[in-house]
Amino acid sequence: MSTTRTNYYVQGMKCDGCIANGNKALSDILGFESAEFDLKTGTAVVTGDVDPQAVCQALTTAGYPAVVKSDG
């Protein structure tokens, strides 16, 4: 089974504390494995078999509005 990596735009992350809060918010999502946040570009790559809408909801609830980054 391959692991899914999904890209997101994430607003409001400014420091390592924000990254820690984002990871904490995502840790409760079933299938979540890891997340890599890029503060400079305002993006994240989430690894795991997760529902993209659940990721967006968890980050938005934590104070970091997120949307799936389309490949278009």
Side-chain angles (χ1 to χ4, degrees), residues 21-40:
N21 289 339
N23 273 304
K24 185 174 187 288
L26 295 175
S27 67
D28 291 335
I29 298 175
L30 183 65
F32 172 75
E33 293 178 20
S34 67
E36 299 169 24
F37 295 95
D38 186 328
L39 300 177
K40 197 177 294 186

Side-chain angles (χ1 to χ4, degrees), residues 5-21:
R5 292 172 55 89
T6 307
N7 296 296
Y8 298 85
Y9 287 113
V10 184
Q11 298 178 356
M13 288 197 159
K14 298 180 178 16
C15 65
D16 289 341
C18 294
I19 291 173
N21 289 339

Side-chain angles (χ1 to χ4, degrees), residues 26-60:
L26 295 175
S27 67
D28 291 335
I29 298 175
L30 183 65
F32 172 75
E33 293 178 20
S34 67
E36 299 169 24
F37 295 95
D38 186 328
L39 300 177
K40 197 177 294 186
T41 62
T43 59
V45 179
V46 176
T47 302
D49 185 18
V50 294
D51 176 4
Q53 285 306 112
V55 170
C56 292
Q57 182 64 42
L59 289 173
T60 299

